[in-house]
Structures are given as C-alpha cells and as structure tokens.
Amino acid sequence: MKQSSDVTRVLIHGASGRMGQALLRLLATREDLRAVAAVSRSKPAQRVVDGLPYFAVTELHGVPAFDVAIDFSLPDGLEAILGLCVERGVPLVSGTTGLSASGERALDAAATTVPVLLAANFSLGVTVLGDLVERAARLLQTWDCDIVESHHKHKLDAPSGTALALGARAEQGGAQPSYASLRAGDIVGEHTVQFAGPGERIELVHRATSRDVFARGALHAAAWLAGQAPGRYQLRDMLR
Ligand code: NAD
C-alpha cells in the first residue's frame, strides 16, 4: 500500500477522450497527485505531450510505475487495464459505463487482490440523489417510477450507467423503474427520476453542466483508493 505522505503517481487510461482530457487538465492542479503516463486506444500522434508520455493500448505493458490507474474508456478496454493493475498490485478507479456481466465479474475477481472502485457517476450531486430516490421509492410504493436521461449524441450506452445506478437505488426502495434515453447535441448529462401518483408527481432532477465534476470526483477517489486494502469499493464508501 502507498504511503500517505508520498505524491500519488497516476496512470490515465482513456486519456485522449473527453473525460481523459478533463482528468489530465485537473490533475495538473493537484499537489498530491502526479500523472506519469497516458494511455489511449490508438498509437499517439506525439509520444510526449507537456512532459507526459502517451502509450497505445498495445503498449500498455511498457508504462512506467504508477500507484493508481484511472480508467474512463470503453467496456472492451477494461480487461487490459484491469490485468495490468492486478499484475502490478495497483488500485483501479473506473468510470467506464456499459460494462457487461463478465466485465463486472472481472472487477470482482481483481478486487480480491487490489482495491477497485467503479462508479457510473463521480458527482457528489448524483451520489446524494441516489439516497433521495431510494427514500422516495420507499415512501411512494404504489406510484410509478420513471427515469429519463439525456446525454450528448456521441454517448454509446443507453440507458446511461447513472440511470441504471439510480434505478437500482429505486428498486432497493421497492419501485420498479422504467427508463427513457435521449441523445442530442452536447448535453453533458441530465437525469430526472419521476414518481407519479394519482393527481400529483415528484421530479428529482440532476443536471451536470461540466465534465469537471466527474473528473474531480474521480481524482478524489483515486487519492483515497491508493491508501485502501484490496476490495470492491463504491463512491459511498469514500463519503462515510
Ligand atoms: P470518449 O469516447 O471521448 O473517450 C474514450 C477514450 O477511451 C479514448 O481515449 C479512447 O482512445 C479510449 N479507448 C476506447 N477504447 C479503448 C480500448 N479498448 N482500450 C483502451 N482505451 C480505449 O469517451 P468519454 O466521453 O471520455 O467517456 C469515457 C467513458 O466514461 C464512457 O464509458 C462514459 O460513459 C464514461 N463516463 C463516466 C462518467 C462517470 O462519472 N463515471 C462521466 C462521464 C463519462
């Protein structure tokens, strides 16, 4: 386990993407974290950018030593970064959504040897929204529960990982949610959980206006996870 006084060396997996770029920009403002390598799917146009070495996923085993990996890629990229983290005994924070059941099982297996934290949404607001949704579902057992999510048109998975995670909280409260997804423009992420009863309804809404909220949350999680024992963690474990 990493010593708390050290600067934590971070590997960014999915570095050329929308989230990867936000992570690298915000990482540069933190004194306790330092990016040591960036990985994306294809061969980088430039090997070193602003002093940071970039690697293609095929070159993953050549990356320098790191204390924690942060992955915001696509489901088919998870296996390789998870394998590297297990091989090197290093924690993994992942925000990748749309994982298959086998991807989830791979995370569980890895968590027997390294700390693993997967969150479909790293914003504080959505973490709190989950608590509100579960509470409302518990109190409104006979009402209909519907979750509507909107994202930019490049998003591949639907319903979003956040919608499914909110739905899981609604189910814990006894609701059976339905889902609707919109893909339009450059919407960063909006989720509405609606409870409808006879003659009235409640809408719980979260709107993200900047990817920085997710990136900040993921960096916070990485700094925290680097000091944890092996196991599978949720964002809520960090907030306790
Ligand atoms: P993007 O398409 O802009 O970027 C994807 C990145 O992953 C690129 O760098 C690409 O090169 C890399 N990549 C793709 N396939 C890969 C593979 N097989 N191996 C290695 N690298 C690979 O996507 P984005 O908008 O940055 O989102 C990335 C992921 O994060 C998506 O799953 C998205 O749903 C999720 N996301 C999660 C949160 C959260 O808070 N958890 C917030 C926003 C987005």
Side-chain angles (χ1 to χ4, degrees):
M1 198 189 300
K2 194 199 132 280
Q3 298 304 304
S4 58
S5 56
D6 298 341
V7 169
T8 301
R9 297 165 300 175
V10 183
L11 172 84
I12 301 291
H13 188 253
S16 65
R18 284 171 283 262
M19 281 303 302
Q21 289 296 298
L23 284 161
L24 287 170
R25 180 169 42 76
L26 291 175
L27 232 165
T29 67
R30 295 210 33 163
E31 288 183 359
D32 58 333
L33 302 174
R34 180 165 56 86
V36 290
V39 179
S40 48
R41 190 202 292 266
S42 29
K43 210 165 170 55
Q46 208 179 319
R47 176 60 72 188
V48 178
V49 181
D50 292 336
L52 184 69
Y54 273 67
F55 296 81
V57 69
T58 49
E59 304 166 325
L60 196 55
H61 289 271
V63 299
F66 60 98
D67 301 310
V68 60
I70 304 180
D71 162 63
F72 279 75
S73 59
L74 291 178
D76 65 355
L78 183 73
E79 203 178 313
I81 184 60
L82 199 54
L84 183 71
C85 286
V86 168
E87 200 179 295
R88 299 206 187 175
V90 172
L92 174 71
V93 169
S94 178
T96 299
T97 60
L99 294 188
S100 62
S102 74
E104 285 285 347
R105 282 196 295 275
L107 286 173
D108 285 339
T112 61
T113 54
V114 295
V116 172
L117 188 154
L118 174 85
N121 193 304
F122 278 93
S123 84
L124 178 61
V126 163
T127 306
V128 172
L129 179 61
D131 288 346
L132 298 176
V133 166
E134 184 174 338
R135 180 144 186 252
R138 226 175 267 294
L139 294 169
L140 302 167
Q141 293 282 325
T142 59
W143 289 25
D144 293 327
C145 175
D146 292 276
I147 301 177
V148 183
E149 55 98 352
S150 306
H151 281 88
H152 56 89
K153 55 190 173 193
H154 302 292
K155 184 167 178 61
L156 296 177
D157 52 323
S160 68
T162 303
L164 294 172
L166 291 170
R169 296 300 298 273
E171 283 176 21
Q172 279 166 29
Q176 290 180 311
S178 299
Y179 299 91
S181 301
L182 297 174
R183 295 288 172 264
D186 61 356
I187 301 169
V188 172
E190 296 186 4
H191 293 83
T192 300
V193 183
Q194 174 181 280
F195 291 90
E200 57 179 330
R201 68 195 160 110
I202 292 174
E203 288 179 345
L204 298 170
V205 185
H206 180 270
R207 292 190 182 92
T209 52
S210 162
R211 283 183 183 84
D212 286 8
V213 291
F214 311 129
R216 240 180 251 118
L219 292 176
H220 194 52
W224 177 80
L225 196 67
Q228 303 303 312
R232 184 84 193 257
Y233 296 91
Q234 296 189 345
L235 213 48
R236 276 189 285 162
D237 298 322
M238 190 177 84
L239 301 175
R240 278 197 183 120

